[in-house]
Each structure stands twice: as C-alpha cells, then as structure tokens.
Amino acid sequence: MFSLFKSDPTKKLRKEYEAKLEQGMQAQRKGDIKSYAMLSAKAEKIWSEIEALEAKKPDNTNRVK
C-alpha cells in the first residue's frame, strides 16, 4: 500500500557503481593500473548486487496506472 514511499535500494547502488567506474577511469588515465583493477573489481561486485536485487524485485508491470 505504501510502496510509493519506499526507497529503491538499487538507486543508491547504481550511483555507487557509476562513481567506482568514474574513479577507475581516472586512475587508468593517470597510469595507476593497480587502482584501476581494484576499483573495477569493486564496481563488478556492486553490479552483481544490483542484479541480485533486481531479480528479487516483484514484477509490477500489471499495476493499474
């Protein structure tokens, strides 16, 4: 009933994912490949969490608008 007021947990994770990719890109541009690899690995872990949450999310395509 009050699902309108619930926050989307994937929204925060997507923001964090985008930030890690950006940080990784900057590290790669500076030539710091080790940091790039670590940040990319963290981003991939966040992405797998997002996919797991979206798999659990109920299908709301049949809602009345």
Side-chain angles (χ1 to χ4, degrees), residues 9-51:
T10 60
K11 188 175 182 180
K12 180 181 176 185
L13 286 174
R14 284 183 186 275
K15 208 171 195 181
E16 192 175 329
Y17 173 73
E18 293 294 329
K20 292 294 179 194
L21 287 179
E22 181 70 27
Q23 291 171 356
M25 181 187 66
Q26 295 301 325
Q28 186 180 30
R29 284 184 176 178
K30 292 179 182 178
D32 190 358
I33 303 303
K34 185 176 180 179
S35 292
Y36 166 71
M38 288 176 22
L39 290 165
S40 294
K42 288 179 184 179
E44 288 298 318
K45 186 176 180 180
I46 293 168
W47 184 253
S48 65
E49 290 176 24
I50 292 170
E51 287 180 332

